[in-house]
Amino acid sequence: MSILVDKSTRVVVQGITGKEGSFHATQCKAYGTQVVAGVTPGKAGQDVEGIPVFNTVHDAVKKTSCDTSLIFVPPPFAADAILEAADAGIRLVICITEGIPVNDMVKVKRALAGRDVRLIGPNCPGIITADECKIGIMPGFIHKKGRIGVISRSGTLTYEAVNQLTNLGLGETTCIGIGGDPIIGTGYIDLLGMFEKDPEPEAVVMIGEIGGDAEDRAAAFIKEHVRKPVIGFIAGITAPPGRRMGHAGAIITGGKGTASEKMAILEAAGVRVVKNPAEIGKTVQEALSPRGGV
Amino acid sequence: MNIHEFQAKQLFSQFDIPVPRGKEVKNPVAAEKWAAKLNAPVYVVKAQIHAGGRGKAGGVKLTKNRDEVPGLMKEMLGKKLVTHQTGPKGRKVRRVLIEEGAGIAKELYLSLLVDRDSGRPVFIASTEGGMEIEEVAAHTPEKVLQEAIDPAVGFQGHNGRNLAFSLGLPALEPSIVNPFIALLGNLYRLFMEKNASLVEINPLVITTDKRLIALDGKVSFDDNALFKHADVQAFRDLNEEEPLEIEAAKNNLNYVKLDGNIGCMVNGAGLAMATMDVIKLAGSEPANFLDVGGGATKETVAAGFRILLKDRNVKGIFINIFGGIVRCERIAHGVIDAAKEVAIKLPVVVRLQGTNAEEGRKLLQESGLKVEVATDLWEAAQKIVAVTGKKRKKAEAAA
């Protein structure tokens, strides 16, 4: 099993004729993902490497029964693209776009509340279920079907962690980048719950960073509801307060959201907190070894 | 993006939020003229820098004597203000605001920002104005009130009444309840229309003649939405920003200057932070945060090099690239070209991992450059720290 996406997932790529969209649609397809449609307004009838292009997500759903959307639309239009996907009945929307205005996301989040649609991102690398389907921009080849679920606010740092897991022969089930923006569709808690229920993953790696209190709330959830080992890393112990570290959401404000504070809260909730990002894989291995359950 | 207080007050005026009469003046002669025009019982001369805590640092001066205004202004211009937000180096005062003073009966606190968890704009208000809200929250959390706004319908009258009554405004001064609610609505409008990320009025005062006035103002904007607002972009003051950061932004690089000795160049923000952290664990300090982006190219690597080398504190460079979509052999070519172009004399450690990493490492090893090549993150961090020495932060070294 896996969470959210698998071999049967049917994907539409919004913004498929753009440079990023066409490249990654092709890459996802090559990985084995069923990329069944693309959308670019005004370009219906064209195709991208054999993937048919439609004018609207509605048309794509009607013609191809796609159920999941991958968005590469530029920031000024991305909020509209997310809402279009939801409106067309897409159940899972994965938005890669970086740089969407926060107030646009405030409205999107409100509009999606209570509806039967899940948003992942924005400003994220997407989702991959190892050796089944890749819906995002991550390098597929570093993933190997295995035993660990991964949730992360970052992109390349996730690849770093995944690479360590793969090299140690642990492998991954599903890896999700939840995004580095202040307002995101799906947070740690929902995904931790899914990994806990899914019989496949034996442990969960959770990669956070400075800013906000999402990790603090996740810690409370882990303490109450997660029995599987959780291995955590928080990036930004050296980050100064008040400065945005690349990601729009990675900023320490009013002395809140520091890495050391988050690490302490996670540790208190029973999470194995890794201080050295080079040791994420090793720590997972220790947690899973018969004597590691101390 | 941050703006100055006098700019925030200009915006407040546009949105019918009452502020004291005041303006930025450029020189003592203009100050004299403006003071005459103000003809107020009290004059306030305020240093304009992008940092809080100005009052305690001598950045705010009051006088009842109009003739003193130009002198106070002259004294303030060019002065270095050291506040808890500027760091020990302080910030030079280049701009000054002169406004009329207000008779203060009561100071309130008011701000508006987006709550990440609920995804809604939230007003934060307190009767304890004029103090740092973090302090109030730490000691008397019950005095910090919140009111979330539903973005689907925007600010509603009941949002305002909830706050006004919980703050006990009718008991303080019944006649300001309605102006207060109107002010909240205007502030919300400003926040949404201008894509602010924070609006803070501290203090919001009730004057002795029963008016409500924003005595101070702080507004920060969402960088991702600046493209929508030419007027907001015009508020940008490059003097308040780090020159290397401005240059990095021109090259689409994300750079934050820090105080350590090891310059880092990384693709991706999370990995860039993790790289800084690993440098510290290995016994040194990072000189910067530099994210060359998920789609790093030869050009961005070259631009990154130039910026790192302009920082005099940098004693060694650590390049950490996890090739995903970015192919490592391209990065290697970029490093080789840049190294030739800028004649790098400092030790460099390059760690390549991911797509075509081996090819990239081979290229670097055969390039004849004095570049250490590494595979593993920890190994790489130890190498760069070993060649640069376990340097302490400048501040610590001086102590």
Side-chain angles (χ1 to χ4, degrees):
Chain A
M1 261 184 69
S2 56
I3 66 167
L4 292 167
V5 297
D6 58 28
K7 273 183 289 214
S8 68
T9 305
R10 295 173 67 81
V11 179
V12 53
V13 175
Q14 291 176 255
I16 193 166
T17 54
K19 197 176 135 216
E20 298 268 304
S22 60
F23 176 76
H24 289 292
T26 312
Q27 293 279 313
C28 291
K29 199 179 163 190
Y31 192 78
T33 311
Q34 293 197 54
V35 183
V36 296
V39 169
T40 298
K43 299 211 170 160
Q46 298 185 8
D47 76 290
V48 171
E49 302 282 328
I51 305 162
V53 179
F54 299 91
N55 281 331
T56 65
V57 182
H58 268 283
D59 288 349
V61 169
K62 214 187 300 171
K63 297 277 167 51
T64 68
S65 307
C66 49
D67 52 23
T68 297
S69 160
L70 177 61
I71 297 180
F72 290 99
V73 172
F77 317 108
D80 184 15
I82 296 170
L83 294 173
E84 179 184 354
D87 190 48
I90 293 287
R91 64 165 189 105
L92 180 65
V93 181
I94 300 154
C95 185
I96 306 298
T97 309
E98 176 175 6
I100 304 178
V102 174
N103 287 357
D104 286 5
M105 283 311 301
V106 163
K107 289 174 192 159
V108 167
K109 186 145 179 145
R110 176 66 177 87
L112 297 185
R115 293 175 65 173
D116 190 22
V117 55
R118 175 177 296 286
L119 171 67
I120 303 283
N123 189 14
C124 78
I127 310 184
I128 184 167
T129 291
D131 297 341
E132 290 197 31
C133 82
K134 163 177 127 91
I135 310 174
I137 59 173
M138 64 290 279
F141 75 95
I142 59 170
H143 300 79
K144 186 107 190 81
K145 195 158 210 50
R147 303 155 69 186
I148 315 299
V150 180
I151 313 170
S152 173
R153 269 170 77 180
S154 159
T156 45
L157 178 56
T158 318
Y159 313 160
E160 175 72 43
V162 165
N163 197 47
Q164 291 176 26
L165 294 173
T166 299
N167 286 345
L168 289 169
L170 293 163
E172 308 82 37
T173 63
T174 303
C175 306
I176 303 120
I178 60 174
D181 277 0
I183 309 280
I184 52 173
T186 302
Y188 293 111
I189 293 175
D190 286 5
L191 300 169
L192 283 163
M194 288 180 212
F195 276 136
E196 176 69 10
K197 270 197 206 122
D198 181 4
E200 207 179 36
E202 293 167 42
V204 181
V205 169
M206 173 181 157
I207 298 170
E209 59 191 31
I210 54 160
D213 65 349
E215 289 83 2
D216 309 6
R217 284 179 285 113
F221 179 84
I222 290 167
K223 202 172 176 186
E224 286 294 310
H225 303 285
V226 182
R227 299 282 77 85
K228 289 179 183 177
V230 179
I231 295 85
F233 173 71
I234 304 288
I237 195 110
T238 47
R243 303 303 312 274
R244 202 169 71 106
M245 306 305 276
H247 289 155
I251 179 165
I252 299 164
T253 45
K256 293 274 179 212
T258 63
S260 46
E261 184 185 48
K262 289 180 190 227
M263 285 180 180
I265 293 171
L266 285 170
E267 223 152 41
V271 174
R272 280 158 210 267
V273 175
V274 189
K275 299 260 162 38
N276 185 340
E279 290 175 357
I280 297 171
K282 204 177 98 188
T283 311
V284 176
Q285 198 170 39
E286 282 163 11
L288 291 180
S289 74
R291 299 176 47 121
V294 186
Chain B
M1 190 188 96
N2 294 322
I3 63 172
H4 288 295
E5 173 196 0
F6 76 91
Q7 295 165 329
K9 284 176 169 168
Q10 283 172 22
L11 262 183
F12 287 171
S13 285
Q14 277 176 41
F15 284 83
D16 300 319
I17 296 162
V19 295
R21 288 185 299 144
K23 76 172 187 186
E24 186 206 10
V25 288
K26 301 282 187 190
N27 54 58
V29 177
E32 195 181 344
K33 274 191 191 158
W34 174 240
K37 199 167 175 200
L38 270 180
N39 191 21
V42 180
Y43 302 87
V44 189
V45 181
K46 300 181 92 175
Q48 301 292 289
I49 55 169
H50 286 187
R54 292 168 299 170
K56 279 180 199 154
V60 181
K61 299 277 183 198
L62 272 71
T63 180
K64 287 181 179 167
N65 183 349
R66 189 199 295 171
D67 299 336
E68 282 180 12
V69 172
L72 285 173
M73 187 216 169
K74 210 171 160 185
E75 233 170 75
M76 204 169 284
L77 264 182
K79 189 174 164 180
K80 278 229 161 124
L81 288 187
V82 180
T83 81
H84 65 289
Q85 287 183 4
T86 60
K89 274 191 285 182
R91 187 79 53 84
K92 192 173 164 187
V93 179
R94 298 165 193 272
R95 308 179 86 162
V96 172
L97 164 69
I98 296 175
E99 63 185 18
E100 64 179 347
I104 300 170
K106 174 74 189 165
E107 293 181 299
L108 308 171
Y109 173 91
L110 182 66
S111 67
L112 178 57
L113 47 81
V114 170
D115 173 54
R116 293 186 179 204
D117 186 18
S118 65
R120 292 181 179 212
V122 175
F123 277 105
I124 297 170
S126 175
T127 50
E128 308 305 296
M131 296 161 62
E132 295 254 348
I133 194 68
E134 289 85 9
E135 289 287 305
V136 181
H139 299 113
T140 47
E142 72 281 359
K143 288 189 175 166
V144 179
L145 306 173
Q146 297 198 8
E147 179 73 14
I149 309 303
D150 182 344
V153 290
F155 179 82
Q156 300 292 308
H158 74 269
N159 298 127
R161 293 193 295 279
N162 283 348
L163 275 181
F165 287 103
S166 329
L167 285 169
L169 290 191
L172 280 173
E173 177 48 59
S175 69
I176 57 117
V177 170
N178 284 334
F180 176 75
I181 294 171
L183 186 147
L184 293 178
N186 290 334
L187 201 63
Y188 184 81
R189 209 157 45 82
L190 185 163
F191 186 85
M192 294 305 282
E193 278 180 25
K194 297 292 178 192
N195 287 85
S197 53
L198 169 75
V199 181
E200 186 178 62
I201 304 178
N202 189 21
L204 173 66
V205 301
I206 304 172
T207 61
T208 41
D209 56 356
K210 298 176 185 177
R211 289 178 302 134
L212 200 58
I213 286 185
L215 213 53
D216 200 349
K218 182 181 171 189
V219 183
S220 304
F221 296 92
D222 177 1
D223 292 338
N224 289 343
L226 286 177
F227 72 93
K228 295 184 186 182
H229 308 292
D231 58 336
V232 172
Q233 286 178 46
F235 282 143
R236 190 163 175 197
D237 186 344
L238 292 179
N239 282 322
E240 296 289 326
E241 296 177 26
E242 175 69 40
L244 286 178
E245 292 178 15
I246 297 168
E247 193 182 329
K250 277 187 199 151
N251 289 290
N252 284 321
L253 299 174
N254 229 315
Y255 173 88
V256 178
K257 188 170 163 9
L258 303 169
D259 296 329
N261 301 118
I262 298 185
C264 338
M265 181 167 11
V266 189
N267 66 330
L271 190 60
M273 272 187 275
T275 303
M276 287 159 43
D277 298 350
V278 99
I279 288 170
K280 190 183 175 76
L281 280 172
S284 191
E285 292 281 345
N288 63 280
F289 166 95
L290 174 58
D291 172 14
V292 292
T297 61
K298 258 167 69 169
E299 290 71 31
T300 49
V301 170
F305 257 122
R306 284 193 293 270
I307 288 160
L308 292 186
L309 290 171
K310 277 187 192 159
D311 178 354
R312 297 242 168 117
N313 292 338
V314 168
K315 300 281 181 278
I317 292 176
F318 181 10
I319 301 175
N320 183 16
I321 302 289
F322 200 105
I325 304 317
V326 177
R327 302 208 310 254
C328 287
E329 94 277 4
R330 286 206 195 162
I331 299 293
H333 278 301
V335 171
I336 294 165
D337 290 356
K340 282 180 189 154
E341 188 191 316
V342 294
I344 298 168
K345 292 188 191 74
L346 300 172
V348 178
V349 173
V350 184
R351 184 258 182 162
L352 297 174
Q353 189 56 267
T355 311
N356 297 357
E358 217 158 297
E359 212 181 319
R361 288 195 286 267
K362 206 169 150 227
L363 275 170
L364 286 170
Q365 273 156 348
E366 292 169 357
S367 67
L369 287 175
K370 258 180 57 192
V371 171
E372 282 249 35
V373 179
T375 313
D376 177 74
L377 177 56
W378 183 234
E379 170 209 343
Q382 285 177 313
K383 270 189 181 169
I384 188 68
V385 173
V387 290
T388 52
K390 294 205 175 195
K391 294 265 164 60
R392 287 167 302 163
K393 274 190 185 177
K394 248 171 100 184
E396 286 168 22

